[in-house]
Amino acid sequence: MQAGSMISSRLLQALRGAKSVAVLTGAGISAESGIPTFRGNEGLWKKFKPEELASVDAFLRNPDLVWEWYAYRKHVVRESQPNAGHRALVDLEALIPDVTVITQNVDNLHQRAGSKNVVELHGNITRNFCNDCGARYDDEAIPETPGVPRCQKCGGLIRPAVVWFGELIPPDQWRLAETAARRANVFFSVGTSGIVYPAASLPLLAKDHGAYVVEINTEITPLSDIVDETIIGKAGDVLPEIVAQLRSPKEDFSQ
Ligand code: OAD
Ligand code: ZN
């Protein structure tokens, strides 16, 4: 394949004129960092039932088990590094005046890569809070115990600061996501299966407000029908290619 041929001139043109770009990301963008996705053959939800591990009921029923599962995932995340896809979104900030990354991921990799404007729809696994009094704890502030750690202030159970099934997306984060989607001239949906709402409604919201909507995924998803363009490929290949094309002065669309 000719280098850059996966990037359409329509997309390049839209990006060259864009003042505002919003990027919705899902587990797929972190797959190349070695963090398992939720769905698909190797996905976490193939091996574990989400309702047994990722809900407040599950946590109250079996706090040690749920904590152990998150302790394992915290470990995986700590040992991983941002990849070329995360870095390309940082590079985009130098090329577009307004870039918002709206992530469903809890792995903190966009922030570690250096993205300045990250909206966390599903929380962040590197933070925690007391289920009773709400006191906040960074990972470093938590004593290494075999089971679930206890709040130093009230003795309550400490839980990861992630959004569980049955819980609401933090309203302030949702407002930021909606605003960014409405404002975007170009909207990317990257590495998400597009079936978990309300996050999956953002590409359509962006489109309704005039954005050119582009999906980047290794396969077709339910979003593929509504977007303007789907680029089949790995986020870690496609996003750096888009940045490279944007930087290159080769193509002149003025004629
Ligand atoms: P999924 O696991 O549902 O989907 C991952 C998507 O990434 C799939 O569509 C894959 O085809 C795609 N993919 C895999 N590798 C890729 C790569 N290298 N480049 C591009 N795409 C790739 O993950 P999400 O859509 O993020 O919610 O899942 C949404 C939410 O469901 C998660 O945030 C989580 C889960 O339950 C909560 O925890 C609240
Ligand atoms: Zn407490």
Side-chain angles (χ1 to χ4, degrees), residues 28 32 35 41 64 80 86 89 92 136 150 180-181 184 199 219 233-234:
E32 291 160 80
I35 298 175
N41 282 335
D64 288 340
S80 70
H86 299 105
L89 294 182
L92 206 58
R136 294 165 187 227
R150 295 275 176 172
E219 51 190 68
K234 291 183 175 180

Side-chain angles (χ1 to χ4, degrees), residues 4-49:
S5 59
M6 61 178 147
I7 316 301
S8 72
S9 51
R10 177 103 199 267
L11 170 57
L12 264 186
Q13 212 166 353
L15 280 173
R16 290 221 158 95
K19 290 196 178 69
S20 179
V21 169
V23 188
L24 173 68
T25 66
I29 197 170
S30 294
E32 291 160 80
S33 293
I35 298 175
T37 59
F38 294 94
R39 297 171 187 83
N41 282 335
E42 299 295 310
L44 288 172
W45 295 156
K46 259 261 154 68
K47 291 177 223 146
F48 306 98
K49 290 200 179 105

Side-chain angles (χ1 to χ4, degrees), residues 129-137 150-158:
F129 63 90
C130 170
N131 195 52
D132 287 352
C133 76
R136 294 165 187 227
Y137 293 89
R150 295 275 176 172
C151 178
Q152 279 148 26
K153 297 192 174 102
C154 80
L157 300 171
I158 295 178

Side-chain angles (χ1 to χ4, degrees), residues 77-123:
V77 160
R78 251 196 313 270
E79 298 292 303
S80 70
Q81 298 299 329
N83 65 54
H86 299 105
R87 287 195 297 273
L89 294 182
V90 181
D91 293 341
L92 206 58
E93 291 177 1
L95 301 165
I96 310 278
D98 169 40
V99 176
T100 307
V101 175
I102 306 163
T103 191
Q104 300 168 86
N105 300 341
V106 298
D107 57 31
N108 206 37
L109 288 183
H110 289 299
Q111 294 87 335
R112 278 173 61 195
S115 279
K116 289 201 190 70
N117 193 12
V118 182
V119 177
E120 295 175 345
L121 291 182
H122 293 164

